[in-house]
Amino acid sequence: MTDVLTGDADKALKAKHRAMWALGNYPELAEDLISALGTTLVGALDIGPGQRVLDIAAGSGNAALPAAQAGAGVVASDLTPELLAAGERRAAALGLELDWQQADAEALPFANDEFDTVMSTVGIMFAPHHEASAAELVRVVRPGGRIGLINWTPEGFLGQMLATMKPYAPPPPPGATPPPRWGNEEHVRSLLGDRVTEFSAIRKTLPVTRFDSAEELRDYFKARYGPAIVTYRNIGNDPERVAALDNALVELISRFDSGSCNLEWEYLLVTARKTE
C-alpha cells in the first residue's frame, strides 16, 4: 500500500489541491462539457427516492444534482469550498436541497456504513493516494450498498491530455498515483478487492462537439481547468516550453479529432456492491 503523507506535509498537499481546483472556472467547464456524465452515473446506479447518497469529490454537483432531482437525500463533499459554493448556487436555482460539506476523499468525516450509495464522477481519481481514498469510499457505504464511479481512462483524451502536460507540470507529491489509473479496470479491481461484489466496468465515450478548432479547445482548458492553469504557470517564465506545450496539446486534440473538431472522450463506468 502506498504511504500517505501525514501531518504538515499532508495539510500542505491538500492546500495545493484546493487552490488548484479553485483556479479558472471548473464549474463552467463541468456544465459546458461533462454534465451528461452525472446523469449517466445516477442512471447506472438506479438512484431514487428514499436513498441516502454521498458524492465524493462532487465539485459543483455534476452527479449530486441529478441524484437530488431523482429524489435521493444527497451529501455532496469536496475538498474545494469554491466548487461547493458554485454547486449550492446551482442547486438553489433548481430548487434543490442538498447537504454540501467540505471533505478530503482520503479522510471522509462520515461514519462507517452511513450511505446507501457512494459515487464519484471524475473526482476521486484526483485524490493522490488511491488506496486511501478507495478505502474511505468503501468504508462509508453500507453492506450491500451501491458504489458507482466514472473516471477518465489513461488511453482516452483526458488521460492523454494529463500525460501530455506531465513533463511541464510541477512534480507530483511523494507516493501519488497518476489520476487516470482510476480509469483502468484492473487498477480499480485491485483497489476495491474483495470488499465489493457485482463489479462491472464498461468503457464508454462522451461526445464533445462544442469547439471549432484544436486551438479553441486548448485555450478553453488553459483558461478554466485548474491542472492546465497550474502547468502553464509552472513554465510561464520559459516561452519556448510554453510554445512546446501549446503545440503538443494541439497535436493531441488533432489526433482525437474525428472531423470538424468533434471528439469522443473515453471514460470507465464502474458499478459494484459492498460485500455484505
Side-chain angles (χ1 to χ4, degrees):
M1 179 173 174
T2 304
D3 290 337
V4 179
L5 297 175
T6 58
D8 291 342
D10 185 63
K11 290 179 182 178
L13 170 60
K14 300 304 166 56
K16 286 183 179 180
H17 270 253
R18 283 196 299 272
M20 177 179 71
W21 289 106
L23 294 170
N25 194 337
Y26 185 76
E28 181 182 3
L29 184 154
E31 192 164 2
D32 285 349
L33 303 182
I34 65 171
S35 60
L37 295 182
T39 304
T40 295
L41 186 57
V42 168
L45 292 168
D46 197 24
I47 290 174
Q51 297 181 28
R52 182 160 166 76
V53 176
L54 172 65
D55 189 3
I56 298 175
S60 53
N62 189 16
L65 292 174
Q69 287 174 319
V74 181
V75 177
S77 69
D78 198 276
L79 190 65
T80 303
E82 291 87 349
L83 299 183
L84 295 174
E88 285 193 82
R89 291 191 292 271
R90 290 182 62 198
L94 294 168
L96 298 172
E97 291 189 8
L98 295 84
D99 183 4
W100 303 86
Q101 294 196 34
Q102 185 177 1
D104 179 355
E106 297 178 5
L108 295 171
F110 307 114
N112 295 347
D113 310 332
E114 185 171 343
F115 296 93
D116 300 304
T117 300
V118 177
M119 62 181 181
S120 185
T121 305
V122 296
I124 198 172
M125 64 183 288
F126 290 99
H129 305 106
H130 294 190
E131 292 89 350
S133 52
E136 284 293 271
L137 182 157
V138 176
R139 179 183 66 80
V140 299
V141 69
R142 65 169 175 80
R146 300 294 300 275
I147 291 169
L149 304 166
I150 284 180
N151 292 308
W152 304 121
T153 65
E155 303 84 5
F157 173 73
L158 260 295
Q160 288 296 296
M161 188 181 80
L162 293 170
T164 299
M165 294 193 301
K166 186 175 180 180
Y168 303 90
T177 305
R181 291 290 304 281
W182 271 102
N184 175 273
E185 178 180 346
E186 293 308 311
H187 182 64
V188 181
R189 282 184 181 273
S190 70
L191 289 174
L192 301 179
D194 61 6
R195 295 176 293 190
V196 304
T197 61
E198 300 181 26
F199 182 96
S200 169
I202 304 170
R203 287 177 180 253
K204 299 171 74 80
T205 59
L206 174 74
V208 176
T209 60
R210 176 187 176 90
F211 302 98
D212 294 325
S213 69
E215 290 80 6
E216 183 187 1
L217 173 53
R218 177 201 63 200
D219 292 344
Y220 182 95
F221 270 93
K222 286 175 67 173
R224 293 167 180 81
Y225 192 54
I229 295 169
V230 167
T231 298
Y232 272 95
R233 285 185 179 180
N234 188 55
I235 59 173
N237 294 326
D238 190 335
E240 289 187 0
R241 296 194 76 199
V242 170
L245 179 54
D246 275 346
N247 292 334
L249 289 174
V250 167
E251 291 173 4
L252 173 69
I253 295 164
S254 299
R255 177 154 57 89
F256 281 86
D257 184 1
S258 62
S260 303
C261 204
N262 293 331
L263 288 78
E264 297 283 338
W265 295 1
E266 187 181 62
Y267 61 89
L268 188 71
L269 169 63
V270 170
T271 57
R273 286 190 185 275
K274 183 174 175 178
T275 302
E276 296 200 49

